[in-house]
Amino acid sequence: MALIVQKFGGSSVADAEKIERVAWIIAEKYSEGNDMVVVLSAQGDTTDDLLAKAMEINPNPSKREMDMLLSAGEQMSVALMAMQLEKLGLPVVSLTGWQVGMQTNTDYSNARIKAVSGERVRAELDRRRIVLVAGFQGVNSYDDITTLGRGGSDTSAVAMAVALNADLCQIYTDVEGVFTCDPRKVPGAVKLEEITYDEMLELASLGAQVLHNRSVEMAKRYNVKLEVLSSYVRKPGTKVKGVINVEQSKISGVAIDSNVAQIALMGLTDQPGVAFRVFRTLSQEKINVDIILQSSVGRSETKDISFTVARSDMERAVEVLKENQQMVGFKDISMTDKISKVSIVGAGMMSSPGVAALMFESLYDAKVNIGMISTSEIKISVIVDEKDAERAMSSIHRRFFEA
Amino acid sequence: MALIVQKFGGSSVADAEKIERVAWIIAEKYSEGNDMVVVLSAQGDTTDDLLAKAMEINPNPSKREMDMLLSAGEQMSVALMAMQLEKLGLPVVSLTGWQVGMQTNTDYSNARIKAVSGERVRAELDRRRIVLVAGFQGVNSYDDITTLGRGGSDTSAVAMAVALNADLCQIYTDVEGVFTCDPRKVPGAVKLEEITYDEMLELASLGAQVLHNRSVEMAKRYNVKLEVLSSYVRKPGTKVKGVINVEQSKISGVAIDSNVAQIALMGLTDQPGVAFRVFRTLSQEKINVDIILQSSVGRSETKDISFTVARSDMERAVEVLKENQQMVGFKDISMTDKISKVSIVGAGMMSSPGVAALMFESLYDAKVNIGMISTSEIKISVIVDEKDAERAMSSIHRRFFEA
């Protein structure tokens, strides 16, 4: 007997048939004697439909009203699931964000959780009810409804697990777990039994969209035992935790991130403060920079700086740099979004100095030219031509996992 | 400058275009300097769509979860209207039932309002914001969402008007006001400038579905100035208040109620307590009885009792009476739902003894046979054959209003 928090995403509850399938998953765990708290997203396309309705009325609505609108989606979702569980004869209650005391800050549409009171949930669990919680939403100090931004329901689930000191937090998705590589692109991709929070964070930020970063960060901070598993296949998923047996593999996965663009500033004067001026200009515009590469060409008095940003930020970054060309002090600027980032992630990498060499060798085998390189303690990323990215990923994956 | 509560029904906010139309009505009153509180129903078919979704999953869901589901409809509606008003550059905030402190009892799906705290609304009005309130919903002492049952949004509006001591409560519908007769059926129907609460109550219960009874009862109790008017036509509507100039007309309207069925019990022993046993049996089943007619046939030792019930209750009423035939003590039972109730309503009726005669004469002119008759201080109702009902109504209307 344990307290289990489960989370099901929008595609898992998209219609009556899927709702019934999920209900049986919940019922099984409940009938084993576990206390069940289940966080749900809005059904299938509900959120997109509501967004479209809003846009038709006002293309630029306030975030407060958008949260008011969108949060209705999860409310409908938990009510419908409650009805399904009632049909199975199970005691159940559905609760909204404000009803479970999911207190957030006032940052509408991207609110951060400040505290979860959880009293109501505990009282309902004491009555042996299955508690369904509307994900993605909270309530702020004005008693206004807020939403938690992208991946918000994952974060709701982890926050509930923290507040209730749950034994396990299961995130159900449409994949069977975390794979060494995107299984749709690399047939040899292998499901991982376990992965560390840090690896998961790197993989998520690299575009392996299984869990949202904020939920993993919260799970890491409070040491919540996470499990990623499929709503469709009854198999153990991937466990996400603090420490894993790193001997099992030096690296955990290979990922492509296509949401990346490169900007190059040429002819910067080779003086202190130049890099500072470049990146302060960008940060004032809230543009995040990922990889940075600086080169001095020979004995020249100028240098070049290249860096990557999210594709959606590229045009704006170039614009703001051009506006400040005099102050920043560069001769020329170029940009491209025809690139991808290919990365390997592994907590076991640090103790294995040969990993980088092996990665570069496999890229050489695949005749892939490397643009930029970036490394961290558990990650090596390279920027390559967009058209080479999948070939690069496959070649790396073959070298590390299919030997 | 006044505090005005407005209410718009589901058809008035069914799509983006209609939302814009309503926004202009609100904007006009606001820009005249009035404090505006606007109660909205769910958009068009939203409630029906949600009901259908629920039925697909569970034909017999708990009322608590149904309230959780349906209340999302009004929440979406107020958020979308807020976005429209934002587009017009107006300060606005949308609020749910729990946010405005609409406290109800725990009778899910048909909750009664216990109190409205209204603090939040007052604070928002002080900031000169237009306050949009999700109708039809409240919150009970468990912090659960409740809904107010049929006509609930009208009741929400009147309750807000009471709580805020509003100067006027305008109920916008798809008709221009209260008519002397159903204008779709009787071309000569005339819009009333004003009508008393009591007349409105009788008309509503007779099927003139302009305002729900509960809202009128509440308006009467707290003397809220009501006005019924059209969302589509910019004309004064009908004012509903305590006292009107009854000289203007002896009667205010003629109405048909088709939701009526007649049950006759024959051969009851002519002893005290018989009627009591009949109607206690029905009231224990929560079956409401409207008109009752008792007759003794000649010097017989038996008597007959006829009464009317809502059509949906007919079968059940007969069933429960048959089950208790011995105890109630009747020989035979018959039923029919091929009847209608035609009524005239008027606060001026009491002081005009000729009204009933005029009504019966106009029925005679139209060759309509009268089944049962029932009278109250401000109403005369007759039961007629269903096929005669519209002819009866037209004839009565001609006599009283088209002379």
Side-chain angles (χ1 to χ4, degrees):
Chain A
M1 259 117 78
L3 199 166
I4 301 175
V5 175
Q6 295 184 328
K7 179 259 170 177
F8 296 90
S11 61
S12 300
V13 294
D15 56 37
E17 198 183 315
K18 287 177 176 171
I19 283 177
E20 188 179 351
R21 187 207 309 269
V22 167
W24 283 110
I25 297 176
I26 300 167
E28 188 182 308
K29 285 277 180 230
Y30 175 81
S31 61
E32 289 169 5
N34 299 299
D35 283 337
M36 300 300 299
V37 175
V38 183
V39 175
L40 300 181
S41 301
Q43 286 189 285
D45 300 327
T46 304
T47 305
D48 288 341
D49 291 349
L50 289 175
L51 277 170
K53 267 194 168 184
M55 289 306 128
E56 193 190 347
I57 288 170
N58 181 349
N60 196 22
S62 70
K63 288 176 174 178
R64 189 221 179 253
E65 296 301 338
M66 192 53 103
D67 285 0
M68 185 76 158
L69 180 69
L70 295 184
S71 61
E74 282 74 22
Q75 183 175 326
M76 295 186 279
S77 185
V78 288
L80 290 170
M81 181 64 78
M83 292 175 189
Q84 176 65 61
L85 288 163
E86 285 173 351
K87 196 177 167 195
L88 303 183
L90 296 170
V92 61
V93 64
S94 72
L95 298 172
T96 61
W98 61 269
Q99 285 174 325
V100 301
M102 183 72 70
Q103 291 150 42
T104 74
N105 66 8
T106 58
D107 193 6
Y108 298 100
S109 90
N110 196 29
R112 304 283 139 168
I113 296 168
K114 287 165 65 183
V116 185
S117 74
E119 273 168 52
R120 172 82 189 259
V121 177
R122 267 183 225 102
E124 300 288 0
L125 290 175
D126 287 345
R127 302 170 67 185
R128 275 299 284 155
R129 281 181 168 173
I130 296 167
V131 179
L132 305 181
V133 176
F136 182 62
Q137 61 183 252
V139 60
N140 67 20
S141 53
Y142 304 128
D143 265 359
D144 280 349
I145 296 173
T146 54
T147 67
L148 307 178
R150 275 198 64 202
S153 289
D154 290 352
T155 311
S156 301
V158 175
M160 288 308 307
V162 173
L164 301 167
N165 196 19
D167 300 288
L168 179 60
C169 180
Q170 297 185 308
I171 309 286
Y172 284 83
T173 69
D174 47 6
V175 297
E176 290 180 36
V178 183
F179 282 75
T180 52
C181 212
D182 186 337
R184 288 164 304 185
K185 288 177 181 161
V186 177
V190 180
K191 187 171 70 185
L192 298 167
E193 268 180 53
E194 43 186 27
I195 187 170
T196 66
Y197 299 122
D198 288 332
E199 288 173 316
M200 195 67 220
L201 284 169
E202 291 288 4
L203 281 173
S205 68
L206 296 172
Q209 308 205 334
V210 182
L211 282 179
H212 198 263
N213 264 9
R214 281 168 62 196
S215 61
V216 181
E217 280 163 7
M218 192 184 289
K220 181 187 174 191
R221 191 171 339 128
Y222 296 99
N223 206 29
V224 174
K225 270 179 67 181
L226 275 183
E227 186 178 6
V228 176
L229 63 179
S230 164
S231 317
Y232 304 102
V233 189
R234 298 282 185 106
K235 282 186 188 173
T238 300
K239 293 198 168 58
V240 189
K241 44 198 206 175
V243 182
I244 64 166
N245 178 9
V246 292
E247 290 303 311
Q248 77 175 42
S249 167
K250 284 163 192 149
I251 78 165
S252 290
V254 188
I256 288 182
D257 183 2
S258 297
N259 179 24
V260 57
Q262 184 175 346
I263 295 170
L265 293 173
M266 273 83 63
L268 290 152
T269 51
D270 195 5
Q271 281 173 343
V274 168
F276 167 68
R277 287 199 296 274
V278 170
F279 297 108
R280 184 190 52 185
T281 305
L282 294 170
S283 79
Q284 278 168 345
E285 288 289 309
K286 296 201 189 304
I287 295 169
N288 278 324
V289 172
D290 182 18
I291 303 177
I292 299 171
L293 193 141
Q294 178 178 305
S295 62
S296 307
V297 185
R299 292 203 174 172
S300 160
E301 278 168 17
T302 63
K303 60 186 176 186
D304 303 339
I305 290 184
S306 296
F307 56 88
T308 61
V309 294
R311 281 192 185 173
S312 55
D313 286 338
M314 180 178 76
E315 307 264 3
R316 203 158 48 92
V318 169
E319 203 174 298
V320 67
L321 285 167
K322 279 184 178 168
E323 281 167 13
N324 295 282
Q325 183 161 8
Q326 195 118 30
M327 184 271 290
V328 175
F330 59 91
K331 289 213 181 66
D332 212 352
I333 186 166
S334 72
M335 60 176 170
T336 174
D337 57 5
K338 301 277 176 267
I339 57 167
S340 291
K341 184 163 69 166
V342 177
S343 308
I344 59 173
V345 170
M349 195 182 281
M350 280 192 299
S351 51
S352 307
V355 170
L358 221 55
M359 181 183 185
F360 300 149
E361 188 186 359
S362 62
L363 288 169
Y364 173 75
D365 288 348
K367 307 220 180 331
V368 173
N369 193 42
I370 301 173
M372 299 167 93
I373 300 172
S374 158
T375 62
S376 80
E377 292 192 339
I378 64 164
K379 182 188 74 169
I380 302 171
S381 300
V382 296
I383 296 295
V384 301
D385 255 27
E386 193 174 41
K387 64 176 168 42
D388 293 336
E390 293 202 11
R391 212 167 72 248
M393 177 170 70
S394 295
S395 180
I396 297 168
H397 192 268
R398 240 184 341 266
R399 176 61 58 105
F400 282 96
F401 294 101
E402 302 169 51
Chain B
M1 258 118 76
L3 199 166
I4 300 175
V5 175
Q6 294 183 329
K7 179 258 170 177
F8 295 90
S11 60
S12 300
V13 293
D15 56 37
E17 197 183 314
K18 287 178 175 172
I19 284 177
E20 188 179 352
R21 186 207 308 267
V22 167
W24 283 110
I25 296 176
I26 300 167
E28 188 182 309
K29 286 277 180 229
Y30 174 82
S31 62
E32 289 168 5
N34 300 299
D35 283 337
M36 299 302 297
V37 175
V38 183
V39 176
L40 300 181
S41 300
Q43 286 189 286
D45 300 327
T46 304
T47 305
D48 288 340
D49 291 349
L50 290 175
L51 275 171
K53 267 194 168 184
M55 290 305 128
E56 193 190 347
I57 287 171
N58 182 348
N60 196 21
S62 70
K63 288 175 173 179
R64 185 211 181 264
E65 296 302 337
M66 191 53 101
D67 285 0
M68 185 77 158
L69 180 69
L70 295 184
S71 61
E74 281 75 23
Q75 183 174 326
M76 295 186 281
S77 185
V78 288
L80 291 171
M81 182 63 77
M83 293 174 188
Q84 175 65 60
L85 288 163
E86 284 173 350
K87 197 177 167 195
L88 303 184
L90 295 171
V92 62
V93 63
S94 72
L95 298 172
T96 62
W98 60 269
Q99 287 174 325
V100 300
M102 183 72 70
Q103 292 150 42
T104 73
N105 67 7
T106 58
D107 192 8
Y108 298 101
S109 91
N110 197 29
R112 303 284 138 166
I113 297 168
K114 288 165 65 183
V116 185
S117 74
E119 275 168 49
R120 173 82 190 262
V121 177
R122 267 183 226 102
E124 300 288 0
L125 289 176
D126 286 346
R127 302 170 68 186
R128 275 297 285 157
R129 282 181 167 173
I130 296 168
V131 179
L132 305 181
V133 176
F136 182 63
Q137 62 183 253
V139 61
N140 68 19
S141 53
Y142 303 129
D143 263 359
D144 280 348
I145 296 173
T146 53
T147 66
L148 306 179
R150 278 197 61 204
S153 289
D154 289 351
T155 311
S156 302
V158 175
M160 290 308 307
V162 173
L164 301 167
N165 197 18
D167 299 288
L168 179 61
C169 180
Q170 297 184 308
I171 309 286
Y172 283 84
T173 69
D174 46 9
V175 295
E176 288 180 38
V178 183
F179 282 75
T180 52
C181 211
D182 186 337
R184 287 164 304 185
K185 288 177 183 161
V186 177
V190 181
K191 188 171 71 183
L192 297 167
E193 267 181 53
E194 44 185 26
I195 186 171
T196 66
Y197 298 121
D198 288 331
E199 288 174 315
M200 196 67 219
L201 284 169
E202 290 288 2
L203 282 173
S205 68
L206 296 173
Q209 309 204 333
V210 181
L211 281 178
H212 198 264
N213 263 8
R214 282 169 60 197
S215 61
V216 182
E217 280 162 9
M218 191 184 289
K220 182 187 173 189
R221 193 173 335 131
Y222 296 99
N223 207 28
V224 174
K225 268 178 69 180
L226 277 182
E227 185 178 7
V228 177
L229 62 180
S230 164
S231 318
Y232 303 102
V233 188
R234 298 284 184 105
K235 283 187 191 171
T238 300
K239 293 197 168 61
V240 190
K241 46 195 202 174
V243 182
I244 64 165
N245 177 11
V246 291
E247 290 304 312
Q248 77 174 44
S249 166
K250 284 162 194 150
I251 78 166
S252 288
V254 187
I256 288 182
D257 183 2
S258 298
N259 179 25
V260 58
Q262 183 175 345
I263 295 171
L265 294 174
M266 274 82 66
L268 290 151
T269 50
D270 194 5
Q271 283 173 343
V274 169
F276 168 67
R277 287 199 296 274
V278 171
F279 296 109
R280 185 190 54 187
T281 306
L282 294 169
S283 79
Q284 279 168 347
E285 287 289 309
K286 295 201 192 301
I287 294 169
N288 278 322
V289 172
D290 183 19
I291 302 178
I292 299 172
L293 190 139
Q294 180 179 306
S295 61
S296 307
V297 184
R299 291 198 177 176
S300 161
E301 278 167 17
T302 62
K303 60 185 174 187
D304 304 338
I305 291 183
S306 295
F307 56 89
T308 60
V309 295
R311 282 193 184 171
S312 56
D313 285 338
M314 181 177 75
E315 306 264 2
R316 204 157 48 90
V318 170
E319 204 175 297
V320 67
L321 284 167
K322 280 185 177 169
E323 282 167 13
N324 294 281
Q325 183 161 7
Q326 195 117 36
M327 184 271 289
V328 174
F330 60 91
K331 289 210 181 71
D332 211 354
I333 186 166
S334 72
M335 60 179 172
T336 175
D337 58 3
K338 300 276 177 268
I339 55 167
S340 291
K341 184 163 69 170
V342 178
S343 309
I344 59 173
V345 170
M349 196 181 284
M350 280 193 296
S351 50
S352 307
V355 171
L358 222 57
M359 180 183 185
F360 299 149
E361 187 187 359
S362 63
L363 289 170
Y364 172 74
D365 288 348
K367 305 215 182 334
V368 174
N369 193 42
I370 301 172
M372 299 167 93
I373 300 173
S374 158
T375 61
S376 79
E377 292 192 338
I378 64 164
K379 182 187 73 170
I380 302 170
S381 299
V382 296
I383 297 295
V384 300
D385 256 24
E386 193 174 44
K387 64 177 171 37
D388 294 335
E390 294 202 10
R391 210 169 72 250
M393 178 171 69
S394 294
S395 180
I396 297 169
H397 192 269
R398 240 185 339 266
R399 177 62 56 105
F400 283 96
F401 295 102
E402 300 169 51

